[in-house]
Amino acid sequence: MRASNMTGEKVITADKLTKRFGDFVAVDQISFEVEKGEIFGFLGANGAGKTTAMRMLCGLSLPTSGKATVAGFDVYKDNEKIKKRIGYMSQKFSLYEDLTVKENMRFYGGIYGMSDAFIKQKTAFILHHLHLENEGNKLVKSLPLGWKQKLAFSVAIFHEPGIVFLDEPTGGVDPVTRREFWNMIYQASEIGITIFVTTHYMDEAEYCNRVSIMVDGRIEALDSPSNLKKQYNALSMDEVFLQLARKATRIES
Amino acid sequence: MKRHFPLSIFNFQFLAFVKKEFYHIWRDKRTMFILLGMPVVQIVIFGFALTNEVKNSKFAVLDEAKDDASQSLIAQLDASRYFDLEKNLTSYQQIEEEFKKGKIKLAVVIPAHFSDDLKHLNKASVQLIADASDPNVANTLTGYATSVIMDYQVRITQERKMPYTINTELRMLYNPQLKGAFNFVPGVMAMVLLLVCTMMTAITIVKEKEMGTMEIMLVSPMRPQLVVLAKAVPYLLLSVINIATILLLSVFVLEVPINGSILLLVAESILFTLVSLSLGLLISAGAQSQQTAMFISLVALFLPTIMLSGFMFPIENMPLPLRIVSNIVPAKWYYSIVKSVMIKGVGLQAVWKETAILAGMMIFFLTMAIKKFKIRLA
């Protein structure tokens, strides 16, 4: 485990947060807190409810009941204020393929209301940082997947949000690129950005400060990876997950 | 909204989005050329290939009189731009043979003593035989032939005063040459605007959903209504270009005049564009894939527009249920407006009812689209 720079300030809180679709309870009274600068892993099999839970926190979906705050704002009332303070990267790749790298950054900076000067400066900084100075004017579709993924993450934190939500960001990427991607996540966390990440790669779970494991819409376990391994008497997060996931009754969707 | 974001940010977001939309259109050159080239192609196809005007139809003559009156009548028929003399026949049996060969569309029989009858009895008859396997063409041709014969009669009666003749004087108001273009230009305008606006807007919004970029937009502080409106702006501009292309082509290539106010015509076209855009937005709110969006646009809009707008088939001849259904087809009202303003040259006071209906439809579709969009977020 790396040293964390958490301050104890709670930036995400959920209290008995629930989402029902008709009779189906997608998320069943989940409660947790995430501290500023923390890398919080959100684990679960497909259909366990992780994406639905994340969508409620991002303001894409209205909770059925329970309470939640993001960046200190209520998810029911202050949706608009939350949106300005969070970044989001979906499991679908989210840059425009027919736009250049710079145009994509201009666009995302633009919809967050950033100034021209800020966008220019930030774009140059990111391209330099990723060693992609020569690729700025290339169409995104001409870039390899790994680069696109890193760019997508850079775009998600382009407007310097306090919290970034990553929904299975490393799907379909090779292990080396995944490792590099996680380095970017660490760097973001070091400058104080809180990372809320869903994944089903168990090796990635080890990189998180704390992980919660969702089974059938409920949080079955929540602790640091080392504590979880101790608690379940397991050698890896994989084993922890398997022990918990066996209880699942829901059919995978 | 404005409490959270100053106006300048609001505009900046909107502009950034519109700019991005233009990149999408500009980078996809093929689609762009289709969108801009379509009106040209349609005008050319309808203007020169698919026309219900009947020109240079071949006809045969069985002239049993062979006198100066019959000769000059035949010459006059042959000289008209509707008819070309194919063959002089010698017997009645030949008429059907010629029709069976499929070369001629009309046969003219002039009985013996044509000139004498005309001079002495003050009355003579001519028989017109048409190929009615295509009833519309047959009707049109006999109509044309009749009017050429009438012309001839008028000419000779001027030479000698005859008692008790009624001259029917035909005047084809607004379209004296009976050009098909007067009918299809308004129709093509309706079709092109509908295709560009409805289908393309629906497809591009659904594409964002498919790609997952819509989610990113919804997580951003940009309001979903703004996303929707920003999507519509580039297509509105493309449509204005298309309106200009169609009008220029009609005026300068097809020689269809704009008799009414150009300003009113353009304003009405923009209103119809807005109706089409709203419909596109409504479709996109419901559809989850580009194929669905395209299918709905085609089936629910395109077919009714072609069938029920009065452009291809006259609404007056339809059975009552279809006539009722035709009222909910926006293109019907637009088609009627364009015909009135462009061809008849009337002003807003004559088309206010149609205009009000279109405006009502636009408000209805737009409200529904935005409402549906909001529901999706909950």
Side-chain angles (χ1 to χ4, degrees):
Chain A
M1 271 306 293
R2 67 194 196 89
S4 86
N5 54 348
M6 292 175 262
T7 57
E9 184 193 335
K10 306 275 186 276
V11 290
I12 303 175
T13 65
D15 184 15
K16 293 187 177 147
L17 196 61
T18 302
K19 179 77 185 185
R20 265 181 242 274
F21 297 105
D23 288 340
F24 179 72
V25 190
V27 174
D28 191 2
Q29 302 196 31
I30 58 170
S31 303
F32 59 89
E33 286 171 340
V34 181
E35 291 176 13
K36 187 175 186 320
E38 188 175 11
I39 300 175
F40 189 80
F42 216 58
L43 275 60
N46 290 334
K50 12 180 234 305
T51 299
T52 308
M54 186 183 245
R55 290 172 64 89
M56 283 192 279
L57 296 174
C58 292
L60 283 174
S61 173
L62 219 56
T64 312
S65 65
K67 282 185 218 148
T69 65
V70 174
F73 295 105
D74 188 284
V75 291
Y76 294 93
K77 286 182 295 191
D78 293 319
N79 215 321
E80 296 301 318
K81 286 179 186 159
I82 293 175
K83 284 179 172 182
K84 283 203 281 182
R85 288 164 177 82
I86 61 171
Y88 176 72
M89 180 177 167
S90 73
Q91 42 189 301
K92 281 186 197 160
F93 177 59
S94 51
L95 298 178
Y96 291 96
E97 300 256 319
D98 56 345
L99 263 56
T100 66
V101 175
K102 281 185 180 169
E103 283 162 359
N104 266 292
M105 293 188 178
R106 258 213 67 78
F107 170 66
Y108 282 110
I111 63 170
Y112 277 91
M114 305 286 116
S115 74
D116 271 1
F118 177 89
I119 292 174
K120 266 205 187 99
Q121 201 189 337
K122 186 87 184 183
T123 303
F125 174 78
I126 291 172
L127 292 180
H128 175 76
H129 188 73
L130 295 176
H131 306 293
L132 294 175
E133 286 101 333
N134 297 326
E135 270 70 30
N137 290 319
K138 285 193 183 155
L139 293 185
V140 166
K141 66 174 154 216
S142 68
L143 303 177
L145 183 66
W147 291 8
K148 291 182 194 173
Q149 215 100 22
K150 285 187 222 165
L151 279 168
F153 180 68
S154 305
V155 163
I157 57 170
F158 192 91
H159 58 289
E160 301 182 345
I163 306 158
V164 62
F165 291 88
L166 310 173
D167 192 5
E168 295 184 9
T170 53
V173 177
D174 65 80
V176 178
T177 314
R178 250 168 61 198
R179 184 70 235 192
E180 285 171 5
F181 189 84
W182 272 90
N183 280 335
M184 288 183 76
I185 293 180
Y186 283 149
Q187 285 163 7
S189 140
E190 266 155 27
I191 57 169
I193 297 178
T194 308
I195 316 278
F196 187 102
V197 55
T198 70
T199 181
H200 50 230
Y201 291 113
M202 287 309 130
D203 57 331
E204 288 187 345
E206 312 259 3
Y207 304 151
C208 300
N209 298 126
R210 282 191 306 150
V211 294
S212 79
I213 297 177
M214 272 187 94
V215 179
D216 289 353
R218 286 182 302 276
I219 291 183
E220 287 293 328
L222 196 170
D223 211 328
S224 67
S226 53
N227 286 346
L228 283 176
K229 279 183 275 189
K230 250 181 253 161
Q231 187 187 334
Y232 286 88
N233 197 19
L235 288 172
S236 68
M237 281 304 294
D238 220 15
E239 282 179 41
V240 177
F241 183 72
L242 283 174
Q243 287 187 33
L244 286 164
R246 247 177 239 132
K247 298 183 197 164
T249 52
R250 255 184 218 171
I251 300 155
E252 281 198 9
S253 61
Chain B
M1 169 78 201
K2 278 173 192 153
R3 218 178 52 234
H4 302 311
F5 296 102
L7 199 64
S8 63
I9 292 179
F10 166 89
N11 282 338
F12 193 66
Q13 282 181 315
F14 194 71
L15 286 180
F17 203 108
V18 171
K19 203 167 153 193
K20 181 208 74 149
E21 287 307 311
F22 274 111
Y23 283 134
H24 287 323
I25 296 173
W26 185 248
R27 298 269 153 82
D28 190 358
K29 291 270 194 305
R30 200 166 28 160
T31 308
M32 192 180 68
F33 282 126
I34 291 175
L35 293 184
L36 291 176
M38 192 168 48
V40 179
V41 173
Q42 290 212 346
I43 288 280
V44 169
I45 290 179
F46 279 99
F48 297 104
L50 298 179
T51 167
N52 46 16
E53 287 175 60
V54 186
K55 279 185 223 159
N56 303 328
S57 301
K58 300 220 165 33
F59 74 107
V61 169
L62 175 59
D63 185 0
E64 292 175 326
K66 293 209 170 41
D67 50 32
D68 55 337
S70 72
Q71 289 302 322
S72 99
L73 177 59
I74 292 163
Q76 191 158 346
L77 271 172
D78 192 19
S80 94
R81 64 193 198 79
Y82 306 117
F83 297 109
D84 279 339
L85 181 57
E86 167 78 9
K87 202 167 188 181
N88 277 301
L89 308 175
T90 49
S91 76
Y92 220 88
Q93 286 77 36
Q94 281 182 304
I95 295 176
E96 204 174 347
E97 284 169 28
E98 286 304 315
F99 273 120
K100 279 189 177 155
K101 280 188 210 156
K103 272 200 170 166
I104 59 162
K105 294 269 191 285
L106 184 79
V108 182
V109 183
I110 302 176
H113 317 298
F114 181 68
S115 179
D116 287 349
D117 286 357
L118 207 55
K119 279 174 191 153
H120 306 303
L121 302 177
N122 282 348
K123 146 178 161 201
S125 41
V126 171
Q127 189 181 22
L128 298 174
I129 303 165
D131 174 2
S133 54
D134 184 337
N136 286 332
V137 172
N139 262 329
T140 314
L141 284 179
T142 51
Y144 288 160
T146 309
S147 74
V148 172
I149 295 167
M150 294 287 274
D151 274 355
Y152 175 75
Q153 193 193 331
V154 169
R155 225 179 63 205
I156 56 168
T157 44
Q158 276 166 352
E159 290 162 10
R160 279 165 299 115
K161 284 275 169 264
M162 275 202 293
Y164 316 121
T165 50
I166 297 172
N167 292 336
T168 46
E169 190 182 315
L170 294 174
R171 259 189 77 206
M172 292 299 176
L173 269 185
Y174 313 120
N175 187 2
Q177 294 158 288
L178 294 177
K179 278 193 176 176
F182 284 62
N183 181 44
F184 74 75
V185 165
V188 167
M189 287 187 65
M191 250 159 58
V192 167
L193 293 180
L194 202 71
L195 192 72
V196 171
C197 300
T198 309
M199 198 152 109
M200 291 313 293
T201 342
I203 288 177
T204 127
I205 293 185
V206 174
K207 193 174 172 187
E208 300 251 3
K209 282 197 215 170
E210 275 187 353
M211 283 173 50
T213 41
M214 187 55 89
E215 268 191 4
I216 309 279
M217 229 81 74
L218 296 178
V219 175
S220 85
M222 186 143 177
R223 301 231 302 183
Q225 291 92 320
L226 266 187
V227 174
V228 169
L229 291 180
K231 277 270 170 198
V233 169
Y235 292 98
L236 183 60
L237 280 174
L238 273 183
S239 301
V240 172
I241 297 176
N242 280 338
I243 293 170
T245 316
I246 297 175
L247 290 182
L248 286 173
L249 280 175
S250 343
V251 172
F252 293 108
V253 179
L254 300 174
E255 293 167 341
V256 179
I258 299 175
N259 291 321
S261 141
I262 295 188
L263 206 68
L264 178 61
L265 187 59
V266 170
E268 296 281 3
S269 300
I270 290 176
L271 175 63
F272 180 67
T273 305
L274 292 174
V275 175
S276 313
L277 285 172
S278 316
L279 258 174
L281 298 179
L282 183 59
I283 291 174
S284 74
Q288 293 301 328
S289 77
Q290 293 183 61
Q291 280 91 337
T292 317
M294 197 145 90
F295 190 73
I296 296 177
S297 310
L298 280 178
V299 173
L301 288 170
F302 226 53
L303 293 180
T305 297
I306 292 174
M307 304 291 187
L308 297 177
S309 66
F311 159 43
M312 293 273 184
F313 311 104
I315 293 171
E316 294 78 10
N317 296 351
M318 293 175 186
L320 187 65
L322 277 185
R323 264 182 294 165
I324 294 172
V325 172
S326 78
N327 287 327
I328 59 165
V329 177
K332 175 197 161 173
W333 304 105
Y334 175 67
Y335 179 67
S336 144
I337 291 174
V338 175
K339 274 211 316 202
S340 302
V341 175
M342 194 166 170
I343 314 293
K344 289 192 198 162
V346 298
L348 183 61
Q349 70 277 5
V351 291
W352 68 269
K353 201 181 82 183
E354 287 89 341
T355 310
I357 291 173
L358 280 185
M361 282 179 167
M362 183 195 80
I363 293 168
F364 176 74
F365 292 141
L366 199 61
T367 318
M368 290 267 291
I370 287 178
K371 212 172 148 196
K372 263 197 119 174
F373 226 83
K374 273 187 184 160
I375 291 168
R376 271 187 46 77
L377 297 182

